Amino acid sequence: MINNITNLYYGAITPSVYNLLETIPNEKLYHNEHCLRHPSSIYTISKGKVIKAFNSLLDILDEMSSVHSDRFGIYEEKLDESYTHLLEAMVSYVDDTYNILKCLYPKSKVSKNEPFAYKWLLAADENIISEYQTSIHQYRKKIAYINNKIKHEHGLFSHICAITTWARVAGFYLEAINKDGVIVPYNKVHEMYNNKHTGISYNKDILDQLVSFYIISNKLETTINKILLSNYNMVIDYSKDNSDEYSEFNMLLIRVNKVPKVYYENEYSSVYKIELGCDKVKIIQGIPSRYMTMPTYLSWRFIHTPDRKSRTVTLPYYEGIDD
């Protein structure tokens, strides 16, 4: 268990980056030159997809909580679809942060034709953009690995359900094939723990993804302010709350906080906690051990993707075949 506490975020329930984007003077925006929407519109649309995907996955987890574990398999397709949508929405949100930043630079800043926003931005302002990339790397790394594996390397989900003394914990591992043709958890996503392969619980991951959204949004806000100061010597007052978005974010935070804090055994080494109060949200990493006690794992259920050629499967949380 972690005994150290790190305060990762403290701010408004609605990420302040929207208020900032709404306040930037039009003469400092170049979205039309790049044939892009207004940056606040890019944010609003992309954020909306993320929130919709979160709620879709939460709906399925709520429904599963009242169903006997023997019927876990009937949710396999729904879980695949809703979780994939969340991954895609999060990856798209990260990509859109670069399009938002691109709106702050005139097209003439880079002479060559570069279709990828992040590469164009590195050519336009390498120091600030490199710093932004570094600041969000740990929060986008896992979703990028999973998304790329699914899209480009025939990655598939194997589903897990742990029966514990406290709660039933649904999750997955991303399948890979090792050099011996054995189906194993993909090692770029799932690290070994106590000589066992591991998976990811939805209970833990949905909290992790929401934390990532808030941190990435905060880093985007910081980077926009750096660009405005560096390029235009401009500091903007954007302290007004965005009440239009308050309700959807507040409800999402409440729903995620209600998800049982029961995870897989390897996931207790790094735990987030979200605290709500006075229209503010506080995100803490590392919960004192007296608040987090690992359950007893009574049994495990696994559903993997069968085929006629793959004869051997490595199960997470059992000592056995290694890569």
Side-chain angles (χ1 to χ4, degrees), residues 42-284:
I42 297 174
Y43 168 80
T44 300
I45 293 169
S46 195
K47 172 268 305 177
K49 292 177 181 178
V50 171
I51 290 180
K52 183 178 179 181
F54 269 114
N55 283 316
S56 177
L57 181 56
L58 284 162
D59 287 344
I60 295 173
L61 294 178
D62 286 347
E63 187 178 340
M64 287 177 62
S65 66
S66 60
V67 173
H68 193 276
S69 58
D70 287 343
R71 301 186 63 206
F72 170 64
I74 67 174
Y75 291 95
E76 180 182 3
E77 187 174 335
K78 287 183 177 180
L79 285 168
D80 279 359
E81 183 178 345
S82 63
Y83 187 71
T84 300
H85 283 169
L86 178 57
L87 287 174
E88 290 174 346
M90 286 293 291
V91 170
S92 180
Y93 181 70
V94 173
D95 290 343
D96 280 334
T97 65
Y98 290 106
N99 285 318
I100 289 168
L101 294 174
K102 192 175 180 180
C103 295
L104 300 173
Y105 297 93
K107 191 174 182 179
S108 59
K109 190 78 172 177
V110 177
S111 57
K112 65 178 182 178
N113 182 24
E114 176 52 68
F116 296 103
Y118 78 94
K119 290 184 178 180
W120 189 95
L121 285 163
L122 284 171
D125 202 339
E126 183 176 3
N127 290 338
I128 289 180
I129 302 305
S130 294
E131 187 177 351
Y132 173 67
Q133 285 184 313
T134 300
S135 71
I136 68 170
H137 175 72
Q138 72 179 93
Y139 300 102
R140 72 171 296 275
K141 178 174 64 174
K142 183 176 73 173
I143 58 175
Y145 279 148
I146 298 175
N147 195 58
N148 288 336
K149 183 71 173 174
I150 292 170
K151 281 191 170 183
H152 306 300
E153 298 180 36
H154 192 64
L156 299 170
F157 293 123
S158 278
H159 296 278
I160 308 170
C161 186
I163 313 300
T164 80
T165 49
W166 295 345
R168 187 174 57 214
V169 187
F172 69 92
Y173 69 85
L174 185 62
E175 294 179 359
I177 307 295
N178 72 6
K179 62 183 181 298
D180 298 314
V182 177
I183 297 175
V184 296
Y186 185 40
N187 60 12
K188 285 188 176 181
V189 175
H190 309 288
E191 296 181 354
M192 298 290 287
Y193 176 79
N194 288 344
N195 200 34
K196 302 173 191 175
H197 287 280
T198 61
I200 294 173
S201 70
Y202 292 113
N203 287 0
K204 176 70 161 54
D205 193 67
I206 202 164
L207 177 60
D208 288 358
Q209 299 283 12
L210 186 57
V211 168
S212 294
F213 178 82
Y214 267 91
I215 299 301
I216 291 169
S217 299
N218 182 251
K219 300 299 183 183
L220 173 63
E221 177 187 352
T222 299
T223 303
I224 292 170
N225 279 317
K226 286 180 180 178
I227 293 170
L228 292 174
L229 183 61
S230 174
N231 291 354
Y232 308 114
N233 196 29
M234 179 181 293
V235 177
I236 294 178
D237 178 13
Y238 54 99
S239 57
K240 183 180 178 181
D241 288 336
N242 177 23
S243 57
D244 293 340
E245 293 191 328
Y246 176 86
S247 178
E248 61 181 0
F249 275 106
N250 189 56
M251 183 58 66
L252 179 58
L253 287 162
I254 290 171
R255 291 192 73 186
V256 171
N257 255 352
K258 286 182 177 179
V259 173
K261 306 297 188 292
V262 187
Y263 312 132
Y264 297 151
E265 57 188 273
N266 58 296
E267 295 180 313
Y268 287 91
S269 60
S270 178
V271 184
Y272 295 117
K273 183 180 180 183
I274 292 177
E275 297 180 350
L276 297 173
C278 300
D279 296 335
K280 299 289 185 181
V281 58
K282 184 177 184 180
I283 298 174
I284 300 169

